[in-house]
Amino acid sequence: MSWFSQTLTSSIGKKLLMALTGLFLISFLVIHATINAMIFYNDGGETFTHWGHFMGTNPIVRTLEIGLIIGFLVHIVDGLILWKNNSEARPIKYAMNKPSANSTWYSRSMGLLGTLLLIFLVIHTAHFWIPNRSNQFATGEELNLYQMMLDIFQNPLVVLIYVLGCISLFWHLLHGFKSAFQTLGLNHIKYNGAINFLGTAFSIVVPILFALMPISIYLGWVY
Amino acid sequence: MSADNMHIKLKVWRQSNSNTKGDFENYSLDHVSPDMSFLEMFDVLNEQLIEEGKEPVAFDHDCREGICGMCSMYINGRAHGPLKGVTTCQLHMRSFNDGDTIVVEPWRAEAFPVIKDLVVDRDAFDRVISAGGFVSVNTGNAQDANSLPIPKIAADEAFAAAACIACGACVAACKNASAMLFVSAKISQLALLPQGQAERTIRAEKMVAQMDAEGFGNCTNTGACSAECPKEIGQENIARMNREYIGAKLSSSAV
Ligand code: HEM
Ligand code: SF4
Ligand code: FES
């Protein structure tokens, strides 16, 4: 094996990929949340559709979208490989174990939270991204995503699934954000405070913002 | 026995060798002093077992003063029992209550197979250390080493890392059975000192490669290891190991 693939397949290399793709996905969330928050202008989706059109058609953004898909795939596949490796590292479990004495439950449940996110991601892309891109591919026309949102979020079960997705995201990020910096070796008394604050704030603000979208539409605050 | 005599019930993992399937055995001790160490309590149990003509419980121990790292026991769901910064030999029965049932298991990890009862094979740690190789810079005898100027901060940080006694509690407590706290302590103690510079990159590469080959899991930064480490080795060492390893891979001449 070359030194490069040796590095990426080592324990630290796999963690490094996890952290880099995780932070990349976080940067995607910033943009995704910002553009979707345009629905709160309550202008019949005008601002939202304007930016949605830009994101859906701009060639640079469309190229970056390929990077995003790869980022998701690497993060998911690598995460599942790590999860498998880690359960194999302890084939016989303890009869009595008190992990709550030494760590938080969500830091120990990243694989589970990630899998919940994956299930959510399948449902979510089936609602919007896949129909829109396939329509663009077939006819060159974009779908009216705003109207689709108004329709889809009339179903309380769908709203519930989206809220649960946001809750999973909250816990995944509450550990993941800080964890990514530690993995990258960025643990320093000068910056730890800022990283922890930013990580907690981000994990709270972004999922709440996302959850408010289906809720607001369902309750008729956004129409 | 005095008024503070304790009655203790034990549920201990018994396994005759690495090829057999083990199981728990229940024991009852009626004369335990709160001033006994946990290992002394096991001595009492073993004398009782020998008198009954039964096989005593095999457990590892050597110094019984918290420095050798041998006394691996998973006690009531915690590595080295309920206290912070303490090995099993430094844990005393006063940390338990009269009438308690205490569950004692060996370290559980693919890389630490059970040899007998509570004794596990921790040779994987030794192989990681030897993979690190020699330090070619001759440090001389004690006074020569002392005459080498080292900044206080570096000396303190290296010393804190060198406090690791290779007990394996980090692996035992980690949900992933990851050895990263141990390996990071061993990499740090030399990476921080001037004598460690010559082999700095190759050492990080080889020790991490050996750690992976031994079948330890991958750290997910839960922090359980530092919380359970009897020497309270900190998470910053793992961050340093990641930097050392990534830096070494990018810059070393090993292609
Ligand atoms: C879609 C399915 C997903 C799966 C299966 C998944 C799985 C995982 C797993 C197993 C870990 C490693 C646990 C750890 O290192 O503590 C992890 C870490 C992480 N994830 Fe995810 N995740 C998913 C989605 C996401 C999303 C959408 C984001 C962010 C937008 C994200 C951000 C992170 C971050 C920042 C880390 C920390 C990396 C590190 O610890 O070094 N993940 N994920
Ligand atoms: S890092 Fe701590 S818990 Fe791990 S082997 Fe060293 S002393 Fe034991
Ligand atoms: S017997 Fe040596 S550390 Fe416990």
Side-chain angles (χ1 to χ4, degrees):
Chain A
M1 255 196 292
S2 79
W3 69 270
F4 190 71
S5 43
Q6 213 178 51
T7 307
L8 291 186
T9 52
S10 71
S11 54
I12 296 179
K14 280 183 277 194
K15 278 165 51 68
L16 187 67
L17 279 182
M18 221 47 216
L20 291 174
T21 51
L23 289 176
F24 176 59
L25 295 181
I26 283 174
S27 74
F28 153 73
L29 284 184
V30 175
I31 297 169
H32 189 33
T34 310
I35 290 179
N36 284 28
M38 301 297 165
I39 66 166
F40 295 121
Y41 275 119
N42 233 338
D43 54 1
E46 203 178 313
T47 319
F48 167 77
T49 305
H50 171 79
W51 286 105
H53 173 74
F54 171 76
M55 296 303 283
T57 50
N58 181 287
I60 296 174
V61 179
R62 293 302 302 277
T63 313
L64 285 175
E65 191 179 70
I66 298 168
L68 180 67
I69 296 166
I70 295 171
F72 262 115
L73 288 177
V74 171
H75 189 81
I76 293 165
V77 172
D78 194 29
L80 295 175
I81 291 173
L82 284 170
W83 197 11
K84 183 170 172 289
N85 288 166
N86 289 346
S87 55
E88 284 166 355
R90 174 163 298 128
I92 302 172
K93 310 284 176 241
Y94 291 105
M96 185 175 185
N97 204 9
K98 277 202 201 116
S100 58
N102 56 40
S103 50
T104 59
W105 73 267
Y106 53 92
S107 74
R108 298 191 305 270
S109 312
M110 292 297 277
L112 174 71
L113 292 167
T115 306
L116 292 177
L117 284 175
L118 181 60
I119 295 169
F120 169 76
L121 218 62
V122 172
I123 298 171
H124 179 49
T125 48
H127 275 152
F128 300 102
W129 186 72
I130 294 173
N132 192 35
R133 287 291 178 271
S134 29
N135 200 62
Q136 273 179 295
F137 183 72
T139 67
E141 291 290 313
E142 288 168 78
L143 294 176
N144 185 346
L145 289 172
Y146 189 75
Q147 189 55 48
M148 286 165 72
M149 275 208 272
L150 295 186
D151 296 341
I152 287 171
F153 294 143
Q154 294 314 315
N155 183 343
L157 189 67
V158 173
V159 176
L160 182 71
I161 290 173
Y162 274 69
V163 171
L164 291 178
C166 292
I167 293 172
S168 309
L169 182 64
F170 163 70
W171 291 115
H172 194 76
L173 291 179
L174 194 61
H175 178 66
F177 193 103
K178 298 166 207 177
S179 176
F181 286 89
Q182 163 77 2
T183 298
L184 294 173
L186 297 165
N187 177 327
H188 192 286
I189 41 167
K190 271 189 188 162
Y191 309 108
N192 287 351
I195 292 170
N196 286 341
F197 176 78
L198 203 67
T200 308
F202 187 90
S203 318
I204 295 172
V205 171
V206 170
I208 286 185
L209 195 60
F210 274 126
L212 276 176
M213 296 168 192
I215 292 174
S216 306
I217 290 173
Y218 181 72
L219 296 178
W221 299 342
V222 169
Y223 43 85
Chain B
M1 279 280 155
S2 69
D4 30 299
N5 177 47
M6 298 171 81
H7 302 264
I8 294 291
K9 291 193 192 67
L10 286 171
K11 204 177 154 190
V12 181
W13 184 261
R14 302 302 307 262
Q15 181 175 341
S16 35
N17 59 58
S18 46
N19 301 318
T20 53
K21 216 170 128 316
D23 208 348
F24 283 100
E25 285 282 343
N26 294 309
Y27 303 104
S28 199
L29 293 178
D30 294 326
H31 302 292
V32 174
S33 154
D35 298 329
M36 278 177 187
S37 76
F38 202 81
L39 297 187
E40 284 165 341
M41 185 268 294
F42 260 80
D43 294 337
V44 172
L45 169 67
N46 277 348
E47 279 176 33
Q48 185 175 311
L49 289 175
I50 291 166
E51 274 174 27
E52 292 168 4
K54 293 183 186 152
E55 178 83 7
V57 180
F59 64 92
D60 256 335
H61 61 107
D62 188 11
C63 71
R64 296 207 175 193
E65 55 182 17
I67 53 171
C68 75
M70 290 300 284
C71 50
S72 49
M73 287 191 191
Y74 211 74
I75 302 162
N76 277 350
R78 305 276 305 276
H80 293 300
L83 300 189
K84 210 175 148 44
V86 160
T87 53
T88 302
C89 57
Q90 298 288 289
L91 174 68
H92 291 84
M93 296 313 294
R94 54 181 168 268
S95 297
F96 299 88
N97 297 315
D98 189 22
D100 272 3
T101 299
I102 307 174
V103 181
V104 188
E105 295 174 76
W107 286 172
R108 294 291 188 199
E110 175 71 6
F112 288 165
V114 172
I115 297 174
K116 189 175 165 59
D117 298 338
L118 301 173
V119 179
V120 297
D121 180 354
R122 286 181 292 120
D123 282 358
F125 269 12
D126 295 334
R127 289 189 291 269
V128 170
I129 291 179
S130 26
F134 293 98
V135 171
S136 61
V137 177
N138 193 349
T139 52
N141 292 320
Q143 70 258 50
D144 307 317
N146 285 342
S147 67
L148 193 77
I150 296 170
K152 170 104 172 90
I153 291 180
D156 286 352
E157 270 188 275
F159 188 76
C164 165
I165 54 177
C167 65
C170 43
V171 175
C174 172
K175 81 175 246 292
N176 310 314
S178 166
M180 289 205 182
L181 190 66
F182 160 76
V183 179
S184 72
K186 299 299 166 200
I187 287 177
S188 291
Q189 69 184 27
L190 290 168
L192 286 162
L193 294 177
Q195 298 94 325
Q197 299 313 303
E199 284 87 14
R200 187 171 168 179
T201 53
I202 191 78
R203 186 186 308 116
E205 288 184 90
K206 288 205 162 160
M207 289 179 85
V208 170
Q210 189 62 36
M211 168 180 80
D212 291 354
E214 297 292 349
F216 292 108
N218 308 278
C219 173
T220 52
N221 304 325
T222 68
C225 50
S226 293
E228 299 289 7
C229 170
K231 301 298 154 185
E232 302 184 296
I233 305 288
Q235 294 286 294
E236 67 280 5
N237 289 291
I238 298 184
R240 183 183 298 107
M241 171 176 71
N242 294 350
R243 291 197 299 275
E244 292 290 325
Y245 179 76
I246 297 161
K249 279 293 180 193
L250 290 173
S251 68
S252 84
S253 47
V255 282

